[in-house]
Structure formats: C-alpha cells, structure tokens
Amino acid sequence: VLVSDSVYGPTRKRVGANLLQRAGVEVTYYDPLIGGGIDGLIRPNTRMIYMESPGSHTFEVQDVPAIAKVARDRGILTVIDNTWSSAFFCNPFSLGVDIVLEAGTKYLCGHSDAMIGTVTVSTEEQFQALKAMQNTLGSRAGPDECFLALRGIRTLSVRMERHQKNALEVAAWLEARPEVERVLYPALPSDPGHEIWKRDHTGASGLFAVMLGEAPKAAVAAMVDGLELFGIGASWGGFESLAIPIYPKGSRTAVPWPHDNPMVRLHIGLEDPRDLIEDLEEGFARLNAAK
Ligand SMILES: Cc1ncc(COP(=O)(O)O)c(C=O)c1O
C-alpha cells in the first residue's frame, strides 16, 4: 500500500503500523506532491494508493487525478480521505478515485457530538467486499449516530459556505500579521496548492494551519491556552472554533518537514469572524509577551 506522507497521524500509527504492517502488508509512504511520479513507486505487489488531500497539519494539495490515472492504468485501487472538503466541496469520484472515506464526526454531523464515519465505494464488488468485512468485524454506526449524521447533512451546505467565508476572512487577517510566517490554507492565492485546489474543489472548509515565527513552546501555549472562543481540541468540523499547537516534523518519513517553526492548527467555526480575530489578536499579545 502506498500512503501519503501527510496523512492524519492515527492513519499512520493505528492503521499503517498497528493493523496493516502487523498483518504483513507493506506500507510505503510517498511525497504528497508526487503527482504522476507515483508511477515510479509502484511495485508488483502494490494493491492500493491511500490519499488525503489537503494533508493533515501541512495541507499539501495532491494532484489526485494524476495519481488516480496512474493507478487506473496499473490496476491499483485508490482511496481518499475526503474529510477536509466533505462531499460538499469535492467529489473524488469525478477525479478518478475508487473509494472515498469521510470522518462523519466532523462536517457531516457538524456539532462534534457523534461517532460515525463513511466509506463510499464505486462498484457493487467493492460494496460486497466491504459489507462482508464489516459483518466480520462487527463495526457499526449506532442508530443515534446515524440520526445525528442525517440531521447534520440537512445543514451541510450552509455550514460549509459559512466555514469557508469565516476561514477566508481570518486567514487573510493572519497572513498580514508580523508574527505569522505562512498560512497553510489552499484557498489563499498565496498557497502553493491553490491552483490544484481550485481545479479540483468547489470550496474550502474551515481548517488550516498557521506557521509562526520562532517562539518557545511556552509562548505558543500561552497564546492558545488563553483563547476565549477557540476551544483546544483535535476533532474539528463542528460549529465551534478550535486551536491546537502542532509540530509536524516528527510525523513525516518520506519527505521530512523542513521547518522547525511552531505551528497552530485552527478550525474556524461559525462564530462571527470579527470576534475570532479579536480573540486571536489578544492571543498574539500573549505570545509576544511570553517570547
Ligand atoms: C483528516 C482526518 N481523517 C480522519 C479523522 C478521524 O476522525 P475520527 O477519529 O473522528 O473518526 C480525522 C480526525 O481528526 C482527520 O483529521
């Protein structure tokens, strides 16, 4: 299995290392910017390419159609984690992908109150194989979770549009701050993945990262700890804004993350963006005071 180096951490640790490698499946990580060059990594035993785009924490946008084309030509299955866009902003089937995963805990439910995920397949054969495996493992979404996900989907479109509007406003403000070296958000024209994102997605969700200038961990903690409207949390995609310090350096193997700068991942919720900016402004004051 070829897996993007930018996947969500537990995909690497739990699925890659714990499950697949222990079961004898060889896992090779690839540069998320590899595009059609993935052809060079394919070996006789390659069965699947697992993508996530934009990547967790580092937000590289993959050339999904180029990867999917190589895979199709070589008879290899492609899977993508589409949680960032949700089905509302990206349809990976139209990009040539075979199987789409989404952590429904995030935008589908939208209120951070249910445990559910989705796997959408493109053929009856895949469906039967998945169903058989699900029966064997006994993993099921509970009825309450299904109810909450179905209810969330009713407001998905309005929430996604609002996440995008708010996130663009906050990201543009952050880009102009002296404490910020880079905002990693494909919807910004300055982002290296912007053109591919624009080609393959119809919008951007509320999750991005901010690379700060040099600052001790304690100063970043002071900034994040004191935020009033942003909770500190890992599972994003709900109505509320979240902030969490991230250090991607330790989690890459194919292409080491070259930056030592502290980063903060933000999820921009449905609050008034002016309030979020005010909150962040006070956060920067704490960061500067603790430097
Ligand atoms: C990109 C991505 N995929 C999948 C997941 C898994 O979500 P959950 O543990 O809620 O299923 C997460 C969680 O943060 C994520 O960020």
Side-chain angles (χ1 to χ4, degrees):
V1 178
L2 294 172
V3 178
S4 168
D5 209 20
S6 59
V7 285
Y8 168 62
T11 301
R12 178 189 285 266
K13 287 188 211 116
R14 292 193 203 131
V15 184
N18 276 356
L19 252 161
L20 296 181
Q21 282 167 329
R22 278 175 56 197
V25 177
E26 285 177 46
V27 180
T28 305
Y29 290 91
Y30 69 84
D31 177 357
L33 301 178
I34 201 165
I38 199 139
D39 202 37
L41 295 183
I42 290 170
R43 302 201 306 243
N45 62 351
T46 306
R47 295 284 177 275
M48 178 185 284
I49 300 175
Y50 186 96
M51 298 172 266
E52 183 187 319
S53 181
S56 274
H57 293 185
T58 46
F59 295 88
E60 296 96 333
V61 182
Q62 298 191 37
D63 192 343
V64 173
I67 294 173
K69 179 168 186 326
V70 169
R72 283 258 156 111
D73 291 348
R74 308 279 297 257
I76 293 163
L77 209 58
T78 48
V79 180
I80 193 165
D81 180 332
N82 195 41
T83 306
W84 184 86
S85 275
S86 85
F88 186 68
F89 282 146
C90 182
N91 175 6
F93 293 130
S94 72
L95 307 177
V97 176
D98 297 307
I99 297 177
V100 182
L101 309 184
E102 195 169 331
T105 45
K106 308 206 168 25
Y107 289 122
L108 287 190
C109 288
H111 293 74
S112 311
D113 55 2
M115 293 297 286
I116 192 167
T118 62
V119 184
T120 314
V121 296
S122 45
T123 68
E124 176 67 22
E125 193 189 348
Q126 290 160 7
F127 173 70
Q128 292 303 341
L130 189 71
K131 194 173 161 195
M133 182 53 81
Q134 201 192 20
N135 273 339
T136 307
L137 297 177
S139 73
R140 291 273 182 288
D144 289 348
E145 278 74 19
C146 293
F147 164 76
L148 288 169
L150 288 168
R151 198 175 64 172
I153 289 169
R154 290 176 183 155
T155 56
L156 182 67
S157 63
V158 282
R159 285 186 286 108
M160 294 310 284
E161 297 285 9
R162 180 67 176 266
H163 281 295
Q164 170 169 247
K165 182 174 168 290
N166 286 0
L168 272 169
E169 198 169 324
V170 176
W173 178 82
L174 283 164
E175 245 192 339
R177 288 292 305 194
E179 298 87 351
V180 171
E181 296 224 327
R182 232 185 97 191
V183 178
L184 293 79
Y185 187 39
L188 290 174
S190 59
D191 191 275
H194 184 70
E195 289 309 316
I196 295 185
W197 165 77
K198 209 161 68 178
R199 183 192 68 190
D200 296 345
H201 302 245
T202 56
S205 68
L207 190 78
F208 61 82
V210 178
M211 189 187 288
L212 301 170
E214 227 173 276
K217 264 190 178 175
V220 181
M223 175 186 175
V224 171
D225 273 347
L227 292 169
E228 296 251 327
L229 295 176
F230 289 80
I232 298 176
S235 193
W236 44 280
F239 58 90
E240 70 280 70
S241 289
L242 298 175
I244 195 166
I246 52 170
Y247 293 88
K249 199 155 188 168
S251 56
R252 305 282 292 244
T253 50
V255 212
W257 183 245
H259 310 285
D260 289 316
N261 306 49
M263 291 171 63
V264 177
R265 192 190 69 177
L266 297 177
H267 177 253
I268 304 300
L270 306 177
E271 304 90 342
D272 188 321
R274 288 167 301 184
D275 293 337
L276 297 176
I277 286 173
E278 205 177 299
D279 204 12
L280 289 168
E281 191 154 29
E282 287 167 16
F284 282 129
R286 284 190 299 278
L287 176 84
N288 290 328
K291 265 184 191 168

